[in-house]
Amino acid sequence: MMGPLLERLYVDLEVLSEHVRAGLDPFGTLFAYLEGGRGGGTVLLHAPYQEALPVLQALNGLTFRGRILLALDPSPLSRTLEGRPLSGPAAAPLAHLLVQFRPQRLLLAFPGEGLGLSFPGGKETEEGWRPLEAEGEPLSLQVEAPTGLVYQERRLYPPWRTEKPPVDLPEEPGPYWGAVGWALGVPTYGVGLVNLRANLEALLRLW
């Protein structure tokens, strides 16, 4: 029997599939291909599932080259087998997307403004988020995705940094899960959900 979140994902998948090529992966990530003009490569735009509406509004009518693969990740809504909710996006679902689709660039939508180009590293412990060098072991969680898939999530995230591209956008600390992209050799940028369309336009015109 499907849970309510998986039922919602399938409803959204049916709606998206009427307009674009779309699918649902084993982690419950809803993905859709948006085709642009000639040239360019594939950019994976990763966003929390609960931000689907503002992200789709930002993409509506956007001009770009190549292809955007939009991935709406429900992992912050998933729960561990111990019943505790995840405190933010998980690494395993994002790594799966990157290995499966091999995009040329990764854009991570995060609750900020402008660009997120670095993160100093950190871990989530029983006492909360801590710097990597702080005392306390990172949580090691058994997480159940909306599809029923169970996976291990070690809440430890190395530092990452990328050079600021030639765009006139403010810079903020980047999302902690950006290290997932760099570990797989994918240039990674955080894009703030505040004024998301302007942030995307500034970056996509470069590529």
Side-chain angles (χ1 to χ4, degrees):
M1 181 177 177
M2 289 193 297
L5 176 54
L6 186 57
E7 290 181 358
R8 284 164 49 197
L9 287 164
Y10 272 117
V11 169
D12 289 344
L13 173 60
E14 185 176 355
V15 173
L16 276 176
S17 296
E18 294 176 357
H19 305 281
V20 294
R21 180 183 166 197
L24 195 70
D25 82 356
F27 289 88
T29 302
L30 183 62
F31 62 87
Y33 289 95
L34 308 175
E35 301 291 343
R38 301 182 75 171
T42 298
V43 174
L44 174 59
L45 173 58
H46 179 273
Y49 171 68
Q50 62 264 41
E51 300 291 344
L53 185 56
V55 171
L56 288 169
Q57 289 172 338
L59 290 169
N60 185 35
L62 190 68
T63 300
F64 59 93
R65 291 176 295 175
R67 168 187 287 175
I68 293 176
L69 176 59
L70 172 63
L72 298 171
D73 178 8
S75 67
L77 306 177
S78 302
R79 302 187 72 84
T80 69
L81 295 189
E82 297 79 16
R84 64 191 299 167
L86 284 176
S87 59
L94 176 57
H96 175 80
L97 286 169
L98 294 172
V99 171
Q100 180 179 1
F101 295 108
R102 301 186 180 276
Q104 278 70 56
R105 293 177 179 85
L106 171 62
L107 301 181
L108 299 172
F110 73 104
E113 185 173 4
L115 301 178
L117 302 176
S118 66
F119 177 72
K123 58 187 176 181
E124 186 179 9
T125 70
E126 288 289 352
E127 292 74 33
W129 283 94
R130 297 287 187 270
L132 287 178
E133 66 275 9
E135 294 185 358
E137 287 297 313
L139 295 175
S140 185
L141 306 173
Q142 289 281 322
V143 184
E144 183 174 9
T147 56
L149 175 71
V150 175
Y151 62 93
Q152 191 78 17
E153 176 75 11
R154 188 166 184 254
R155 304 289 281 179
L156 183 145
Y157 301 92
W160 66 275
R161 173 177 292 277
T162 189
E163 291 186 10
K164 184 174 181 179
V167 294
D168 185 20
L169 291 173
E171 182 180 344
E172 293 193 3
Y176 63 84
W177 60 102
V180 178
W182 282 112
L184 293 169
V186 183
T188 300
Y189 307 84
V191 285
L193 286 163
V194 178
N195 297 322
L196 177 60
R197 185 182 182 90
N199 299 334
L200 291 173
E201 286 177 334
L203 286 176
L204 293 175
R205 72 167 60 103
L206 300 176
W207 307 323

